Structures are given as structure tokens and as C-alpha cells.
Amino acid sequence: MNKESAVTQLLKGYTKEPQHSEGSFFAATNIALAKYWGKRNVELNLPITSSLSISLGALGTETSIYLQASNATEDVILMNKKRVDNDSPFALRLIKFLDLFRFVPARYFRVETSANIPIAAGVASSASGFAAVVGALDQLYDWKLPKATLSRLARLGSGSAARSFWPGFVEWQAGSEEDGMDSYGIPIAETWPALRIGLLLLDTDPKPLSSTQAMQKTVLTSSFYELWPTKQMADLARLKAAIATHAFTELGEVAEANALAMHALMLTASPPILYSSPKTVEMIHKIWYYREKGLNIYFTQDAGPNLKLLFLKEDEEVISKLFPTLVIIAPFGANKAVL
Ligand code: PMV
């Protein structure tokens, strides 16, 4: 099955005529505590394993989509109010995704998107980006799709976007069906007001190797990859138990070890992949140094050099002094953190 047929199946019975002149949607980005690393189907972004994330609440992407007049000859894309060149990698990826929702007769869109997170720097901007596009299309066409369907559609743009339709903890179940209809996000009802995430932004330049490329290289060339699904399953079970009982140390240990295992796998790919910069390594040592001294602090890292720190409200003051540039997010509380 290709993306076009997946969209046809998911939108069967829904109108293909825009019902409004505009559709707008905000999607928060999410950070995986048990990572998605490896696709069983590259076309449909179907993962080899399930994954589990936490939403970043107020950090994400707001997107408005307008249908242009019938004489328009191309999509117009604005990112943070600036026109994006339609030949840029960002626009090409977005236009290809919009093609799935153009229907007949083909019409062009105007897309205005603004993100309060750095794009493509391993801060999961594609997760909120594709979720916001799908949410905006849902408004434009007035489909009122269930979130599980929005999640399946957003997955076709970027896997991690499947987890961006809910606040708090979300599990993206891998599913086993070939068409991926059983692969979408499922929210975990638990809230944890004392939990904090700290964004330690070390380098916000776009990454040289996309997560899709890095994933494929790892799956195809690392002889250790076969160990990943078993570890991931055990980590998911431990994380869910830690969330249910608010066992922070367990959550931090599992999340950090899971991220390190993902990066270790990448080092064993051929050629090897290393997203960490010298600054990343320095900060990891700093985190471990203070943890050794008794501070309850852990980290996770995605496909980029930046780190996301995990800690509790009670340590917020101490940690913000140790890491003065930290952007602190309360995923279950009033969230004023904006970059
Ligand atoms: O959704 P993608 O294709 O950008 O992949 C995301 C990969 C990680 O961020 C490293 C892990 C995850 O589960 O979000």
C-alpha cells in the first residue's frame, strides 16, 4: 500500500471539498522517553516497535491552511511569517505531503506555519509540524476526524507526529497490520504535575542527516539492531509502571538508558552516525556528575546534539542555576516557556 491509498482508505466517505476558506490548528511537539527507531514500512512510516512520549504542552507548531484561488499555480508556504522557497527541503517535503490532500480538481494551498521550537534540530519539530498540518486540513475540509485517524494521517508525514494529538504521555502502538491501520497514538490518562522537562539547546542548526536516513542506516547495517525490539518492549513496560506510580528515578533511568541505547546503535551502523557534539558530551558528563552528588536528574536525546533534561519541580531552582540557558517545561502545568 502507498500513502495515497492509505489516505483514500482513511478518508472514505468524507468530503473532498473544502468547507471553509481556512483551517487552523496548534499541535504540541513531543519527546520520546522510549524511542521510535526503525521502520517496518518506510512508505507508511510504520515502526518496528511501539514508542512512548511526553507532550511539551505550549511548545509546538501553529499552522493555518488556506485554499488559493483557482488561478494559483503553486503552493505558498510561510514559516514564521517568511516566504519559504518551494525548492527548499522543508517546502518539498511539505508540498509532497499536501499533494495527498489536494484531491480533484487540483488546487494550491497557502500554508502559514509558525513554530516556537527550532526546526530540524532534534527538538521534534516535524512531529508538531505534520500534526498541525493534518489538524488544519481537518478544519479546512470540516471532516471532524477522530484523533486516532488524525494520528494515522500525520504518521504518513512523520512517524513521531502520530503522538502529537494529545497532552501528557502518549503511546504510539506499532501495530502489525500491513496497511498500518492499527498503528496510531493512544493517550495514557495519568497526569504528573511535578514532572519537568528542560530543553538544553546546544546547537539549533538543521541536522546533516535526517532521522529517516539515520534510522534506515541503523536498521540495515547495525548488527546490534536485532537486540533493540526486545529492549524496547522491556523499557516500555517499565516506563508505563513508573508513570502509573510516579516513580521518577525509574522513569529517568529507563528514559536515559533507552536514548543511550539508540545512540549506541547508531555508532554501530556503517558508516557510523554520531549526533552528539563535544558540547553534548560535556553536558552529559555534567549531568552525571551532579547525579553522582545526589541530584535527581536524567536526560534524553533525539536525532540531534541537544539534550532534554528530566527532573522534578522540587529540583527546578537548583537545576536552572546549574543550566542557566535551560528552557523549563511543566508538561502538566501552566506552561509559560516559549523560546
Ligand atoms: O518522526 P521522525 O521520523 O522525525 O523520527 C523521530 C525519531 C526520534 O525523535 C529520534 C525518536 C522519537 O521517537 O521521536
Side-chain angles (χ1 to χ4, degrees), residues 194-198 248 296 309-312 316 319 326 328:
L195 195 65
R196 294 291 179 272
I197 313 276
F248 178 73
N296 222 358
L309 310 190
L310 303 167
F311 53 96
L312 292 173
E316 194 171 319
I319 288 171
L326 202 64
I328 299 177

Side-chain angles (χ1 to χ4, degrees), residues 308-323:
K308 291 93 186 193
L309 310 190
L310 303 167
F311 53 96
L312 292 173
K313 183 178 190 299
E314 64 203 42
D315 294 319
E316 194 171 319
E317 227 180 285
V318 175
I319 288 171
S320 63
K321 286 206 179 92
L322 291 175
F323 300 94

Side-chain angles (χ1 to χ4, degrees), residues 32 35-37 126 158-160 163 211-212 215 262 302-303:
K35 308 292 185 191
Y36 148 53
W37 200 252
S126 68
S158 173
S160 52
R163 300 184 305 237
S211 46
T212 297
M215 259 182 225
M262 178 183 82
D302 294 293

Side-chain angles (χ1 to χ4, degrees), residues 184-205:
Y184 52 88
I186 296 177
I188 295 172
E190 194 65 37
T191 62
W192 193 340
L195 195 65
R196 294 291 179 272
I197 313 276
L199 292 187
L200 195 55
L201 298 176
L202 306 172
D203 179 356
T204 53
D205 288 343

